[in-house]
Amino acid sequence: MRYSSKIKEILKLKWPEFEAKYSAAIRECEKEAVTKVLGCGDPQNGFAEYWCLDCGGKEKKIVPFTCKSRFCPSCGKVYTDKWVEKMSKEM
């Protein structure tokens, strides 16, 4: 997770400048991928709330949605692990 946050921080800091400079050369799918990575795990993009039934609903946990993009440093790891598992079973 440490690397993914560093990559995300670099994108947060440098993407607007990069996009402004090279906008004509950046494909739409690349822009969408970066947008997904930047919004991954942000509660403003949606979340699920879980309430503790044992304590009468006093405690709640908010779990933000992930982007599920294979290009995302966090979500891509899950994608890769599942692919490796599938290929291992096939071999």
Side-chain angles (χ1 to χ4, degrees), residues 28-77:
E28 194 59 37
C29 63
E30 293 166 333
K31 291 178 184 180
E32 288 174 12
V34 171
T35 301
K36 282 183 178 183
V37 170
L38 290 174
C40 185
D42 185 349
Q44 291 181 344
N45 295 326
F47 59 89
E49 279 186 349
Y50 296 95
W51 296 85
C52 176
L53 299 177
D54 293 335
C55 68
K58 293 177 185 173
E59 293 184 37
K60 74 173 178 179
K61 181 171 182 152
I62 293 176
V63 180
F65 296 143
T66 60
C67 67
K68 296 178 181 54
S69 170
R70 63 183 173 175
F71 300 107
C72 177
S74 300
C75 299
K77 172 79 168 97

Side-chain angles (χ1 to χ4, degrees), residues 1 4 10 25 35 38-39 46 83 87:
M1 282 286 239
S4 66
I10 291 169
T35 301
L38 290 174
W83 180 83
M87 290 296 115

Side-chain angles (χ1 to χ4, degrees), residues 8-25:
K8 192 172 182 177
E9 286 302 312
I10 291 169
L11 286 172
K12 279 182 186 177
L13 292 172
K14 297 296 184 177
W15 177 252
E17 179 184 334
F18 182 85
E19 186 178 23
K21 189 173 183 177
Y22 299 104
S23 185

